């Protein structure tokens, strides 16, 4: 099942808030590259990882770390969905 | 704020520090020792901590901002020292302020690992008058895990197709770990992992614990830590984690909050 729009909105809210981005969450595109479009770097990605664990109740393992997984809102939402399903 | 600052040597001469003296027309209110965070976080936080020292001096609290052994302009190599020695360094700084500068009372203000070290020193040193803990590391195991995460993410972005998470993890189990260019020994890594501020405390003087994050909300962990002190107070400030940022972050909200709290207790 594809990630819901609500989950993606929550992710955008978390990312904008934690990274102090100067954009509205709803203006983030689901499939835009976080690195190329929003200038997300390794420090920002770390904040996102901590945010995923703190706010989305998932626990990431080594094998979850790949550029593709953290490329876009869509790919991160898919990760959250998958981890939630695994951890149930 | 117009304060005098001078370089000092302390702790048998191996520690370098900057002493910020309040302006002569300011009512003196003792001294603060600023306890640095760990590795790269220290570098990123340097500017804000220097501003903090000037703020303290401007309000009558002399400030000593020093480098632990193996860091900054103090002697030794980073890999040869760890939390236990850095606690000794804080004790040496307290002694220096009391005996050489003849200033008292002395409080400790620490950021991240520095806050954790300050809290641990306060359990052993009855002369400390107050504690300010900015975003302390409460769970050392989590801190070490997050350091591995940073390495994983950095490798992921820089190594492209060569990236292998198990390889990065294995490197973090080596005798000497490279963390963003800082060499950390396995015993230091183990000491860091053992940090646990969750237990009951004997320190009975005022304590301010501050969350610094995107939301003005005290976390459960911070509230629990605060509640473990007889005279603890928890606050939260909305501010970017300046110890993780290379650019300039205006720490004014944090400094103002801390200044207001100190004015109530000193």
């Amino acid at each position: 099942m594809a990630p819901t729009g609500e989950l993606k909105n929550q992710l955008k809210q978390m990312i904008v808030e934690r990274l102090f981005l100067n954009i509205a969450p709803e203006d983030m595109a689901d499939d835009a590259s976080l690195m190329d479009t929003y200038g997300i770097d390794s420090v920002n990605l770390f904040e996102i990882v901590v945010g995923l664990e703190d706010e989305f109740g998932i626990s990431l393992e080594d094998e979850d770390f790949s550029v593709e997984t953290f490329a876009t809102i869509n790919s991160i939402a898919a990760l959250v969905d998958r981890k939630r399903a695994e951890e149930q | 704020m117009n304060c005098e600052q001078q370089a000092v040597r302390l702790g048998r001469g191996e520690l370098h520090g900057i002493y910020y003296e309040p302006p002569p027309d300011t009512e003196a209110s003792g001294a603060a020792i600023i306890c640095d965070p760990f590795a790269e976080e220290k570098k990123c936080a340097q500017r804000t901590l220097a501003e903090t020292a000037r703020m303290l001096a401007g309000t009558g609290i002399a400030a000593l901002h020093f480098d632990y052994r193996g860091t900054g302009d103090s002697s030794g190599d980073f890999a040869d020292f760890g939390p236990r020695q850095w606690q000794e360094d804080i004790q040496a700084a307290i002694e220096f302020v009391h005996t050489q500068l003849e200033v008292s009372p002395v409080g400790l203000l620490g950021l991240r690992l520095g806050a954790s070290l300050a809290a641990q020193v306060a359990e052993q040193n009855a002369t400390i008058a107050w504690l300010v803990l900015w975003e302390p590391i409460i769970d050392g195991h989590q801190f070490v895990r997050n350091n591995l995460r940073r390495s994983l993410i950095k490798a992921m972005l820089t190594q492209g197709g060569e990236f292998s998470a198990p390889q990065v993890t294995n490197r973090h189990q080596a005798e000497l770990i490279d963390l963003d260019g800082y060499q950390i020994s396995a015993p230091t890594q183990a000491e860091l992992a053992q940090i646990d501020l969750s237990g009951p405390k004997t320190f009975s003087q005022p304590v301010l614990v501050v969350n610094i994050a995107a939301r003005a909300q005290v976390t459960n962990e911070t509230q629990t830590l605060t509640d473990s002190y007889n005279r603890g107070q928890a606050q939260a400030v909305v501010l970017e984690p300046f110890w993780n940022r290379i650019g300039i972050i205006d720490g004014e909200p944090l400094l103002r909050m801390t200044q207001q709290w100190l004015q109530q207790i000193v």
Side-chain angles (χ1 to χ4, degrees):
Chain A
M1 195 168 66
T4 63
E6 187 185 349
L7 171 59
K8 292 179 194 175
N9 289 340
Q10 289 169 343
L11 282 170
K12 292 174 189 176
Q13 182 75 36
M14 181 272 283
I15 290 171
V16 166
E17 188 176 83
R18 282 191 173 248
L19 304 187
F20 292 79
L21 297 181
N22 199 19
I23 53 172
E26 58 270 24
D27 289 342
M28 291 186 83
D30 292 353
D31 57 356
S33 163
L34 292 176
M35 281 164 246
D36 297 339
T37 310
Y38 304 110
I40 303 292
D41 60 11
S42 63
V43 172
N44 297 147
L45 265 187
F46 173 73
E47 293 288 340
I48 292 173
V49 166
V50 173
L52 289 175
E53 295 199 325
D54 283 355
E55 298 183 30
F56 292 83
I58 61 171
S59 181
L60 299 181
E61 308 298 334
D62 286 1
E63 56 268 25
D64 296 319
F65 287 85
S66 74
V67 172
E68 294 75 26
T69 302
F70 292 94
T72 65
I73 293 292
N74 277 336
S75 63
I76 297 176
L79 168 72
V80 173
D81 262 357
R82 179 169 61 79
K83 297 300 290 186
R84 281 176 168 172
E86 285 173 7
E87 290 169 14
Q88 269 178 1
Chain B
M1 289 166 214
N2 198 9
C3 62
E4 290 286 325
Q5 51 188 85
Q6 58 171 316
V8 292
R9 302 296 302 189
L10 55 144
R12 296 196 298 271
E14 72 266 68
L15 298 177
H16 170 269
I18 304 286
Y19 182 63
Y20 298 76
E21 199 167 3
D25 57 348
T26 309
E27 188 181 346
S29 304
I33 291 167
I34 295 177
C35 304
D36 277 337
F38 184 64
E40 190 72 6
E41 291 185 355
K42 168 186 166 70
K43 201 190 290 179
C44 294
Q46 180 67 23
R47 180 191 171 95
T48 302
L49 293 179
E51 286 173 357
T52 303
R54 281 192 279 275
M55 174 276 286
L56 291 165
T59 54
I61 302 172
L64 175 62
H65 188 193
F66 77 102
D67 299 319
Y68 306 124
R69 277 174 288 174
T71 75
D73 292 328
S74 290
S75 64
D77 292 328
F78 187 80
D80 294 334
F81 299 96
R84 188 171 50 81
Q85 288 90 0
W86 295 334
Q87 283 184 44
E88 293 169 2
D89 294 345
I90 295 171
Q91 296 276 20
I94 295 166
E95 181 75 11
F96 176 80
V97 173
H98 279 312
T99 61
Q100 300 296 310
L101 302 176
E102 297 181 337
V103 176
S104 63
V106 173
L108 303 179
L109 184 154
L111 170 66
R112 303 279 293 145
L113 178 66
S116 308
L117 297 175
Q120 290 173 321
V121 168
E123 292 299 301
Q124 305 154 23
N125 188 322
T127 70
I128 295 166
W130 49 263
L131 275 181
V132 172
L133 310 178
W134 285 351
E135 202 64 31
I137 291 156
I138 298 170
D139 177 352
H141 180 74
Q142 181 71 26
F143 177 64
V144 168
R145 185 166 174 257
N146 280 341
N147 284 339
L148 169 61
R149 293 286 178 71
R150 287 178 208 275
S151 293
L152 275 174
I153 291 166
K154 198 169 179 185
M156 183 177 92
L157 294 187
T158 56
Q159 294 175 357
E162 304 288 309
F163 171 67
S164 158
Q167 268 182 16
V168 178
T169 303
N170 286 341
R171 281 204 295 274
H172 270 249
Q173 288 157 356
E175 279 305 299
L176 204 59
I177 298 147
D178 184 301
L179 183 69
D180 295 336
Y182 293 86
Q183 302 293 311
I184 302 165
S185 69
T188 292
Q189 181 96 322
E191 269 188 62
L192 289 169
Q194 284 167 8
I195 291 171
D196 178 7
L197 298 187
S198 64
K201 309 291 188 305
T202 57
F203 185 69
S204 59
Q205 301 302 316
V207 181
L208 174 65
V209 189
V210 183
N211 269 146
I212 304 165
R215 288 183 196 154
Q217 186 179 349
V218 173
T219 65
N220 291 339
E221 292 82 4
T222 294
Q223 193 59 59
T224 302
L225 170 64
T226 307
D227 292 344
S228 71
Y229 288 103
N230 282 340
R231 299 174 65 188
Q233 184 180 348
Q235 294 198 30
V237 62
V238 176
L239 189 66
E240 288 193 57
F242 56 89
W243 57 91
N244 273 339
R245 300 286 191 269
I246 294 164
I248 295 170
I249 308 288
D250 181 6
E252 198 271 337
L254 175 64
L255 269 58
R256 184 163 21 91
M257 169 194 287
T258 303
Q259 185 181 34
Q260 285 170 353
W261 183 82
L262 285 169
Q263 283 170 339
Q264 288 169 15
I265 62 121
V266 296

